[in-house]
Amino acid sequence: MTRLHNHCLTIQAFLILLLFSSSIASAAIVEHVFHVKNVVVKPLCKEQMVPAVNGSLPGPTINVREGDTLVVHVINNSTYNITIHWHGVFQLKSSWMDGANLISQCPIQPTNNFTYRFDITGQEGTLLWHAHVVNLRATLHGALIIRPRSGRPYPFPKPYKEVPIIFEQWWDIDIGLLGIQPAPVSDAYLINGLAGDSYPCSKNRMFKLKVVQGKTYLLRIINAALNTHLFFKIANHNVTVVALDAIYTTPYLTDVMVLTPGQTIDALLTADQPLGMYHMSITPYTSAIGIPIPTNMTITSLLVYEGAATSSSPALPLMPALNDTPTAHRFSSSITGLAGGPHWKPVPDHVDEKMFITMGLGLDPCPSDTKCIGPVGQRFVGSLNNRTFVNPETVSLQEAYFYDITGVYTDDFPDQPPLIFDYTNFKLRTNSDYKMMFPERKTSVKTLRYNSTVEVVLQNTAIITAESHPMHLHGFNFYVLGYGIGNYDPIHDARKLNLFNPQMHNTVGVPPGGWVVLRFIANNPGVWLFHCHMDAHLPYGIMMAFIVQNGPTPETSLLPPPSNLPQCTRDPTIYESPTTNVDLSY
Ligand SMILES: *[C@@H]1O[C@H](CO)[C@@H](O)[C@H](O)[C@H]1NC(C)=O
Ligand SMILES: *[C@@H]1O[C@H](CO)[C@@H](O)[C@H](O)[C@H]1NC(C)=O
Ligand SMILES: *[C@@H]1O[C@H](CO)[C@@H](O)[C@H](O)[C@H]1NC(C)=O
Ligand SMILES: *[C@@H]1O[C@H](CO)[C@@H](O)[C@H](O)[C@H]1NC(C)=O
Ligand SMILES: *[C@@H]1O[C@H](CO)[C@@H](O)[C@H](O)[C@H]1NC(C)=O
Ligand SMILES: *[C@@H]1O[C@H](CO)[C@@H](O)[C@H](O)[C@H]1NC(C)=O
Ligand SMILES: *[C@@H]1O[C@H](CO)[C@@H](O)[C@H](O)[C@H]1NC(C)=O
Ligand SMILES: *[C@@H]1O[C@H](CO)[C@@H](O)[C@H](O)[C@H]1NC(C)=O
Ligand SMILES: CC(=O)N[C@H]1CO[C@H](CO)[C@@H](O)[C@@H]1O
Ligand SMILES: [Cu+2]
C-alpha cells in the first residue's frame, strides 16, 4: 500500500517536473479583471465612499514572471474617469498600454471598459499599478510583482516568504471630487490598508507580519502615497536592499530606508533577533525648505515572532526627524546597481542628447475672480526650464503625434533653461520680479531619435522653495550617474559620475536644492511622460513629454492604437487618415 502510494507520488513529481520544464519554454498569459467601483471603507472613524479596484484597499496584487504577457480588463463602474498606469513597466513597443491620462490615451469614462495587454520583459522585482488621473491614485493602486522566469534564481538566497508592504496616504473625503485641485493635508497614512495604533479608531487594526525566527523574508515595499516621501524602519533589525524599482542592486545593508512616492524597494529581512514583537514604522520625510512642516507622526505595523509572548510590549524604532535630508540623501545616493546581474546593461559611454533642466515651482497670475494662496497673491505652478506643462484636452498626445494632428503640442521643449543663474540661491525665493518666476504655459515636447543616448541633468531650484521632487520617466529605466547638493558643476561634478555600476530607477528624488544626472537609451518608440510623482505637482504642470521617433524597421516602430482605445471626443474626422508614421529619414 505504502509502496503504491510512493509510486503515485513519483509519477506526480514527474508530471510536475514536465509542467515546469514546459513553462521555461513558453511564457504565460496572465489575465485579470479589474472592477473599478465606488465602495465604502472605514480605515479611520468615518465611513467613506472611494473608488477601488474589486472593492479592496490596496487593490489586488498582480503576480507575473519576467517574459509573461499581462492582460487586464478594466471595467469602470465608478463615477470617475480613470486610466490604469503600470508604473515602471517598460511597455516596449506597447506605449498605447501605458495608461497615462491624456498622454497615451483618453480616460476610460464611467460605464466604459478597456483592456490593457502588454509583455513584461527585461525587468524583475516589485512595481505598482495605479490610476493616472489626478488624485485617484490615492485609492486605486496595488502591487505588481515580477518574479524571474521559472528555473531562473534570484541573485540572492531564496527567501522563505515574500511579503508586499504598501504605504498609502488617506483622506477622509471623496478625493475624486477634488477634480484637479491638489489634495489638502491628508488625514492619515496606512500600511497595507491599515492605520494602526496611531489613530483613535484603528487601535489594534494594524498590519502584522508573523515570522519564524531564523528565516529570511523578502519585503516588497511600495510607496503608493500621493504626495509624501516616507522613511521606513524596523525596530532592532537591519535589512539588505536587493532591488530598487524592479532592477537588482548590489546588496546594501541598512537600518533605514526612504522612498519617494512611486518608488519601490525589495529588501531581505532576517528574523535574527530574540523572540518578541517589533514595530515596523513609517514617518514622512518633508524636504520643503522654508515651508512649515506638518506635525510629526509615526505609523506602525508589527513584526511578530512565532512563539513570542503576546503580552510583551513591542520595541519601537528611533525614526529620523521629518526634515532629515542628510539621512535621506545618504540612503538614496549610496546604493549601486548590480553590474553584470540579471537584465543589467552597461552604461553607454557616449551621449547623443544633453539636456539641463531646472526644476521647481513658479507662479501664475491669479485669475481676477479667485483668491490664490501663493506668494504675492498669485497661484503656484510648476516649472521645467521655465515651462509649465498643459495637458491636451481633446485628444491624447500620442494620438496627436501618431495621426499628425496639428495644434495639440509644440516640439520645442528647451535643452537648457533660458537663463543661467545661481539656481539654489535662496535670495531668489520670493522675488516676483525674477525672470524665471512666471513660467510659460505650454504643451511642449522634446523629440528624440530612436536609439539615441540621452543625458539629463535635473537641477532643483530654490525659486519659491527647494523641495525633493521625485521625477518619474515612463517607458524606461534610467541610470542615476550622480546626486549632489547645490548647483551642478559641469566640470568638477561630471568627473565624479558613476559610469560603472550606477543605480537604476524609473523614479528619482532630486535632492532639495540639489541635482541628479540621468542617462537612458531612447529605444522605445512613442510618447513618454516625464513628471514629478508627487500627485499635487501634476496639476502644477511639473511635467514634460519625450517623443521617441521610430527606428528603421517595422519592429522598431510605434504600432497603430488598438481599435477600442478610449476617446476624448467622438469626432471621426480626426482619425480619417492614419499614416504609417515610419521615420524614413532615419
Ligand atoms: C476582481 O473581481 C472579479 C469579480 O468581480 C474577479 O473575476 C477577478 O478575478 C478579480 N480580480 C482580481 C485581480 O482579483
Ligand atoms: C458594472 O456596470 C455594468 C453596466 O451598468 C453592469 O452590467 C455590471 O453588472 C456592473 N458590475 C459591477 C461589478 O458592478
Ligand atoms: C466593454 O465595452 C464594450 C463596448 O462598449 C462592450 O461591448 C462590452 O460588453 C464591455 N465589456 C464589459 C465586460 O463590460
Ligand atoms: C545593523 O548594521 C549595523 C552596521 O553594520 C551594525 O552596527 C548593527 O549592529 C546592526 N544591527 C543589527 C540589529 O543587526
Ligand atoms: C516629534 O515630536 C515630538 C514632540 O513634539 C518630539 O519630541 C520628537 O522629537 C519629534 N520627532 C521627530 C522624529 O521629529
Ligand atoms: C519665462 O517665461 C515667461 C513667460 O513666457 C517669460 O515672460 C520670461 O521672460 C521667461 N524667462 C526667461 C528668463 O526667459
Ligand atoms: C541600437 O543601439 C544598439 C546599441 O548601440 C545597437 O546594437 C542596435 O543595433 C541599434 N539598433 C538600431 C535599430 O539602430
Ligand atoms: C471625462 O473624460 C471626458 C473625455 O476626456 C471629458 O470630456 C470629461 O470632461 C471628463 N470628466 C471629468 C469629470 O473630468
Ligand atoms: C449595474 C450597475 O452596477 N451599474 C452601475 C455601473 O456604474 C455606473 C457608474 O458608476 C452606475 O451609474 C451604474 O448604476
Ligand atoms: Cu514635485
Side-chain angles (χ1 to χ4, degrees):
M1 190 62 190
T2 322
R3 216 169 267 171
L4 192 64
H5 193 110
N6 274 345
H7 186 65
C8 288
L9 267 186
T10 315
I11 289 177
Q12 234 170 34
F14 177 72
L15 284 176
I16 287 168
L17 212 71
L18 258 186
L19 211 72
F20 263 105
S21 52
S22 68
S23 63
I24 291 173
S26 63
I29 295 175
V30 178
E31 194 163 355
H32 286 288
V33 176
F34 275 11
H35 272 295
V36 184
K37 55 191 167 186
N38 299 349
V39 295
V40 173
V41 290
K42 194 184 164 192
L44 301 181
C45 304
K46 181 173 159 242
E47 290 197 328
Q48 181 59 55
M49 175 94 92
V50 294
V53 170
N54 278 16
S56 76
L57 184 70
T61 294
I62 291 187
N63 292 286
V64 297
R65 289 183 183 277
E66 192 269 326
D68 285 352
T69 300
L70 179 61
V71 180
V72 180
H73 307 283
V74 177
I75 301 173
N76 186 4
N77 275 40
S78 80
T79 47
Y80 300 110
N81 282 346
I82 56 164
T83 62
I84 302 290
H85 170 56
W86 314 92
H87 180 108
V89 172
F90 296 153
Q91 298 289 7
L92 194 60
K93 290 211 59 211
S94 53
S95 62
W96 298 107
M97 298 296 159
D98 191 42
N101 188 30
L102 302 172
I103 305 301
S104 60
Q105 68 169 96
C106 288
I108 311 169
Q109 296 180 40
T111 73
N112 290 7
N113 66 72
F114 180 61
T115 297
Y116 292 93
R117 183 189 306 268
F118 50 89
D119 298 337
I120 298 184
T121 45
Q123 49 190 161
E124 291 171 25
T126 304
L127 292 173
L128 66 156
W129 55 264
H130 64 76
H132 208 294
V133 172
V134 176
N135 293 325
L136 296 183
R137 185 177 103 210
T139 56
L140 295 171
H141 59 249
L144 171 53
I145 293 173
I146 310 167
R147 297 197 171 80
R149 285 172 198 241
S150 62
R152 303 252 174 99
Y154 290 127
F156 45 82
K158 191 176 186 308
Y160 176 64
K161 277 196 176 133
E162 304 184 5
V163 190
I165 298 193
I166 305 178
F167 307 141
E168 305 162 281
Q169 195 167 6
W170 175 258
W171 284 263
D172 253 341
I173 54 172
D174 188 342
I175 197 166
L177 294 178
L178 291 171
I180 61 161
Q181 288 177 64
V185 176
S186 57
D187 294 302
Y189 296 92
L190 314 177
I191 299 178
N192 285 350
L194 300 168
D197 279 358
S198 309
Y199 302 93
C201 302
S202 58
K203 298 254 183 258
N204 299 318
R205 279 198 290 143
M206 181 153 55
F207 172 67
K208 294 191 178 88
L209 173 57
K210 296 207 174 70
V211 293
V212 177
Q213 198 177 37
K215 301 284 190 198
T216 296
Y217 296 78
L218 178 61
L219 307 184
R220 296 181 171 277
I221 309 158
I222 297 169
N223 185 359
L226 270 200
N227 296 322
T228 317
H229 297 51
L230 293 164
F231 285 117
F232 179 41
K233 274 186 93 167
I234 305 172
N236 298 20
H237 290 74
N238 286 330
V239 297
T240 302
V241 172
V242 292
L244 296 174
D245 288 3
I247 173 88
Y248 295 116
T249 64
T250 311
Y252 180 77
L253 186 74
T254 184
D255 65 339
V256 62
M257 290 167 267
V258 66
L259 295 93
T260 75
Q263 283 185 334
T264 59
I265 294 178
D266 288 12
L268 294 170
L269 166 72
T270 300
D272 58 3
Q273 294 299 304
L275 291 189
M277 299 200 285
Y278 303 86
H279 275 295
M280 304 192 287
S281 306
I282 55 174
T283 198
Y285 162 51
T286 53
S287 63
I289 296 171
I291 283 185
I293 57 174
T295 30
N296 71 17
M297 57 168 63
T298 300
I299 292 82
T300 60
S301 56
L302 266 190
L303 186 66
V304 182
Y305 277 61
E306 206 178 276
T310 47
S311 58
S312 63
S313 70
L316 283 163
L318 182 63
M319 298 308 285
L322 295 181
N323 59 358
D324 189 349
T325 292
T327 294
H329 184 61
R330 189 181 332 110
F331 173 79
S332 303
S333 61
S334 299
I335 299 175
T336 53
L338 189 63
H343 311 298
W344 176 264
K345 293 191 185 71
V347 184
D349 50 13
H350 72 285
V351 174
D352 303 304
E353 291 276 357
K354 276 198 175 191
M355 300 177 79
F356 185 93
I357 303 180
T358 56
M359 176 185 68
L361 296 181
L363 297 176
D364 192 36
C366 193
S368 53
D369 53 345
T370 329
K371 192 171 177 295
C372 295
I373 56 156
V376 293
Q378 311 297 336
R379 60 180 174 187
F380 291 116
V381 287
S383 171
L384 294 176
N385 277 350
N386 202 35
R387 292 284 168 89
T388 294
F389 189 84
V390 178
N391 273 325
E393 280 173 8
T394 54
V395 65
S396 72
L397 202 52
Q398 186 154 268
E399 286 163 285
Y401 163 64
F402 187 81
Y403 293 109
D404 230 336
I405 303 166
T406 54
V408 179
Y409 65 90
T410 50
D411 179 16
D412 63 352
F413 185 86
D415 289 345
Q416 306 286 331
L419 195 68
I420 291 170
F421 63 103
D422 184 4
Y423 310 108
T424 52
N425 182 347
F426 278 87
K427 296 209 179 87
L428 305 177
R429 202 145 69 80
T430 48
N431 177 359
S432 62
D433 293 337
Y434 197 65
K435 287 191 174 57
M436 293 253 296
M437 191 61 96
F438 291 89
E440 186 179 1
R441 300 175 63 84
K442 222 173 173 191
T443 310
S444 55
V445 308
K446 162 81 183 171
T447 296
L448 300 170
R449 293 188 81 82
Y450 178 79
N451 230 7
S452 54
T453 300
V454 186
E455 183 176 288
V456 181
V457 178
L458 281 170
Q459 174 70 58
N460 217 328
T461 71
I463 300 175
I464 315 281
T465 180
E467 172 176 25
S468 168
H469 295 278
M471 290 299 285
H472 172 52
L473 179 61
H474 289 223
F476 305 89
N477 274 353
F478 45 75
Y479 302 94
V480 182
L481 305 181
Y483 284 87
I485 304 285
N487 296 334
Y488 178 70
D489 177 336
I491 298 175
H492 189 246
D493 290 327
R495 269 192 227 119
K496 292 187 293 193
L497 299 180
N498 178 359
L499 297 173
F500 165 64
N501 64 351
Q503 55 179 256
M504 296 191 82
H505 271 294
N506 61 59
T507 306
V508 66
V510 186
W515 50 266
V516 298
V517 180
L518 319 177
R519 218 175 261 188
F520 68 96
I521 303 168
N523 56 4
N524 193 3
V527 181
W528 303 107
L529 205 54
F530 185 40
H531 67 96
C532 179
H533 211 266
M534 280 161 78
D535 214 65
H537 292 175
L538 280 181
Y540 285 178
I542 306 190
M543 266 201 281
M544 58 84 70
F546 290 106
I547 291 182
V548 177
Q549 291 177 328
N550 289 332
T553 59
E555 285 69 42
T556 54
S557 298
L558 180 61
L559 293 165
S563 59
N564 58 347
L565 190 74
Q567 297 300 308
C568 291
T569 121
R570 295 277 165 203
D571 181 357
T573 58
I574 295 180
Y575 308 99
E576 250 168 16
S577 53
T579 58
T580 52
N581 216 50
V582 176
D583 180 11
L584 298 172
S585 66
Y586 183 84

